[in-house]
Amino acid sequence: MQQFIKKARELLGERGVLHEEADLIVYEQDGTLAIRGRAYAVVFPRTVEEMSKVVELAYIYGIPIVGRGSGTSLSGGANPVKGGVIISTAWMNKILEIDLANEVAVVQAGVINDWINSYLTRMGYQYPIDLGYQYMADPGSQRVSTIGGNIAHNSGGVKCFKYGVTVNQLRGLTIVLPNGEVRRIGGKEFEQPGYDLIGLLTGSEGTLAFIAEAVVRIIPTYETTVTIIAKFDDLSAAGRAVSAVIASGAVPVAMELMDKLAVEAIESGPYAAGLPKDAEAILLIQVEGSPPGAAEESAKVAEVLKKSGAVGVEVVVDPAIAARIWAARKQAFGAMGYVGPNYVVEDGTIPRKKLAEALMIARAAGAKRGLRVANVFHAGDGNLHPLILYDERKPGEREKAIEAGEEILEACVELGGTITGEHGVGYMKRKLLPKMYTKEEIELMKAIKTAFDPKWLMNPGKIFP
Ligand SMILES: Cc1cc2nc3c(=O)[nH]c(=O)nc-3n(C[C@H](O)[C@H](O)[C@H](O)COP(=O)(O)OP(=O)(O)OC[C@H]3O[C@@H](n4cnc5c(N)ncnc54)[C@H](O)[C@@H]3O)c2cc1C
């Protein structure tokens, strides 16, 4: 490590290498508050070349390496659970090119998701995994998380029901292999022959190679968006209404569900938006199009919601009010502090038709352990986010919350879903991988890992049980 630090400093300068205890404490956690891990050093390359050289150094000394964008991972993905060196992309933060003719943007891995749209909005364009319309964008962490982290986790968000997830937005990648070699995959063109390496690397959680740069698709923004809020006095009715809207042929951009506890948390904080606190659940839906198209679609959705048991439906056309409502939704996780000191957030998917059933299971998994569960999630694509509240000052509660989360994810698999929709397997869910795959399938994944990373240095302790 001393040799590594000395050489990394020669390469990146004094400020480019942190290794004092006080600095390292800052990197002990990511967004997963239930675990901690200490790295020996954190390094900050600025370019593909610097990243390549510092990764090669770690390879020579056989040091484990963990990629870190902004550390918002909710599965412990960016946590250095086995020590080693953190490669931060915080200084690789440049938008390199906007190419409207090819409808792509070329960005460094450390660019914050939301920056792309802040830049594109004035051109009438958007990066579709983050809509430039006010702050109604995805993923929920878009003002903080990086494109590299989004790619490593194949992140989704409120709008992926219509636009797909991160992998659907990628045309090309520049990657650094664990031995420091640089490879360019894809480019600005639409289709690549041969194996889909972009697909393989997207969602690989920093266990195969580092993402250094990406070519992402950009598209023109629609003229008008309309938000619809529906209030339900029964959580399962709200779950069933989601399926009814989709079955009607409507294609909303976003469909988010929040239950009573989630609304209580939001309305207790600075982002309160006047959401109905007496509702058992609310559905927040956004449609888009030309002005008449959006009006027609929103009227259709409102009608279906009424027929599906909504006790109140409001169509919001004022962009300022809509922006406030979506900002409130975005702050839901942070607002949980108003209803409980700690939480574990889970992330599973289920076939949409099973939404109501899954929500009841999530509540029961908490209740039988004396814990409350709030739900706020991307209902359109059946991506659940139960937030299991606990108090770490009470002995055993943290463990109970983790156990409840695992029980919910196992139920998701039994209902025909998966153990993660967008947060990755990371450290927290590695035990659950065998619930999804056979031994042979996991061996196949390990063989792929070995082909990229023969020394298994990249993000050790993640994905595999
Ligand atoms: C409030 C909140 C809301 C959220 N909402 C959503 C949401 O709506 N949708 C969603 O999908 N997620 C959401 N997340 C989870 C998280 O923001 C995403 O997983 C995000 O993509 C992580 O980006 P990051 O830059 O913080 O990456 P990090 O947390 O730093 O890293 C995530 C993973 O990527 C790896 N990694 C990071 N950079 C690189 C790189 N350049 N090359 C290779 N590997 C790398 C890390 O090792 C780690 O495994 C939310 C999180 C929070 C805290």
Side-chain angles (χ1 to χ4, degrees):
M1 271 313 298
Q2 292 313 317
Q3 283 299 313
F4 172 86
I5 287 169
K6 185 170 166 283
K7 294 199 171 162
R9 280 181 147 186
E10 284 164 17
L11 181 69
L12 305 173
E14 290 274 308
R15 288 184 59 230
V17 183
L18 298 179
H19 62 94
E20 302 291 345
E21 190 182 2
D23 293 322
L24 298 178
I25 287 171
V26 181
Y27 293 86
E28 270 185 357
Q29 286 188 297
D30 57 17
T32 317
L33 303 180
I35 51 160
R36 279 169 201 265
R38 178 79 63 89
Y40 304 122
V42 186
V43 297
F44 298 86
R46 292 176 197 83
T47 59
V48 179
E49 291 68 30
E50 284 187 357
M51 185 187 249
S52 149
K53 286 191 181 138
V54 80
V55 169
E56 186 189 3
L57 260 186
Y59 185 79
I60 291 167
Y61 291 110
I63 298 168
I65 36 183
V66 181
R68 185 169 174 119
S70 295
T72 62
S73 167
L74 295 172
S75 59
N79 196 305
V81 286
K82 305 253 178 203
V85 167
I86 290 178
I87 313 264
S88 166
T89 56
W91 290 1
M92 294 179 71
N93 56 8
K94 313 252 171 335
I95 297 176
L96 301 171
E97 188 188 350
I98 301 286
D99 178 347
L100 290 185
N102 284 302
E103 296 196 317
V104 292
V106 185
V107 299
Q108 285 189 308
V111 163
I112 303 296
N113 177 304
D114 196 37
W115 292 354
I116 307 181
N117 277 334
S118 304
Y119 197 81
L120 286 176
T121 305
R122 69 186 104 144
M123 299 175 184
Y125 268 78
Q126 58 170 300
Y127 169 54
I129 204 75
D130 168 312
L131 197 62
Y133 165 63
Q134 310 291 335
Y135 281 104
M136 187 296 202
D138 54 335
S141 56
Q142 96 275 2
R143 279 194 258 173
V144 192
S145 67
T146 63
I147 289 298
N150 294 173
I151 295 170
H153 272 174
N154 194 15
S155 297
V158 293
K159 288 181 284 118
C160 62
F161 172 62
K162 179 165 183 183
Y163 290 108
V165 289
T166 300
V167 72
N168 307 112
Q169 324 304 332
L170 296 175
R171 297 265 185 84
L173 292 179
T174 300
I175 59 164
V176 174
L177 292 169
N179 64 1
E181 285 175 26
V182 177
R183 295 280 181 277
R184 292 201 157 75
I185 303 165
K188 293 181 177 177
E189 59 280 3
F190 266 96
E191 196 42 66
Q192 297 289 323
Y195 295 140
D196 178 8
L197 293 178
I198 293 179
L200 180 61
L201 287 156
T202 310
S204 64
E205 304 189 27
T207 61
L208 300 180
F210 284 101
I211 313 295
E213 290 174 7
V215 184
V216 301
R217 123 180 137 120
I218 58 176
I219 57 170
T221 307
Y222 276 100
E223 286 165 76
T224 309
T225 55
V226 178
T227 294
I228 304 130
I229 309 181
K231 179 176 152 184
F232 292 84
D233 53 17
D234 172 23
L235 183 56
S236 19
R240 285 192 296 274
V242 172
S243 300
V245 170
I246 292 162
S248 75
V251 188
V253 191
M255 287 186 91
E256 297 287 294
L257 194 150
M258 288 184 259
D259 69 6
K260 196 178 179 109
L261 189 52
V263 173
E264 184 191 324
I266 291 168
E267 289 300 314
S268 307
Y271 285 90
L275 300 173
K277 282 201 274 186
D278 57 334
E280 276 304 314
I282 60 171
L283 268 182
L284 213 51
I285 299 180
Q286 192 188 63
V287 298
E288 65 182 2
S290 61
E296 196 182 311
E297 183 97 327
S298 54
K300 180 175 168 178
V301 170
E303 203 44 48
V304 178
L305 290 167
K306 280 179 204 153
K307 283 191 188 144
S308 309
V311 291
V313 178
E314 192 188 341
V315 176
V316 181
V317 281
D318 182 337
I321 299 175
R324 220 171 112 210
I325 293 168
W326 285 105
R329 155 62 187 95
K330 290 279 162 183
Q331 299 303 325
F333 286 12
M336 284 300 141
Y338 288 97
V339 287
N342 308 86
Y343 67 78
V344 166
V345 56
E346 278 307 352
D347 156 54
T349 68
I350 31 121
R352 265 190 306 259
K353 277 201 146 177
K354 307 272 173 137
L355 258 183
E357 206 176 322
L359 290 172
M360 292 305 133
I361 293 173
R363 265 197 182 169
K368 77 177 182 208
R369 293 173 177 88
L371 304 175
R372 291 182 301 163
V373 178
N375 282 290
V376 41
F377 62 95
H378 317 309
D381 50 338
N383 186 186
L384 295 184
H385 286 329
L387 294 135
I388 307 148
L389 303 177
Y390 69 97
D391 185 342
E392 70 180 2
R393 295 164 300 189
K394 295 187 183 157
E397 274 215 348
R398 175 180 161 275
E399 289 69 26
K400 278 191 210 165
I402 293 175
E403 206 180 88
E406 288 174 357
E407 185 178 317
I408 296 168
L409 293 181
E410 284 179 30
C412 287
V413 176
E414 274 156 32
L415 292 172
T418 68
I419 57 167
T420 169
E422 54 182 22
H423 296 169
V425 180
Y427 177 76
M428 296 303 282
K429 290 189 245 178
R430 67 202 195 290
K431 270 197 308 192
L432 295 172
L433 203 70
K435 300 267 173 212
M436 289 270 342
Y437 299 108
T438 63
K439 197 166 163 285
E440 291 72 22
E441 285 163 344
I442 293 175
E443 287 308 317
L444 180 60
M445 288 188 211
K446 286 184 174 173
I448 293 170
K449 159 92 175 151
T450 307
F452 274 84
D453 181 18
K455 293 192 190 176
W456 279 61
L457 291 177
M458 293 223 37
N459 212 358
K462 310 296 165 61
I463 299 186
F464 298 107

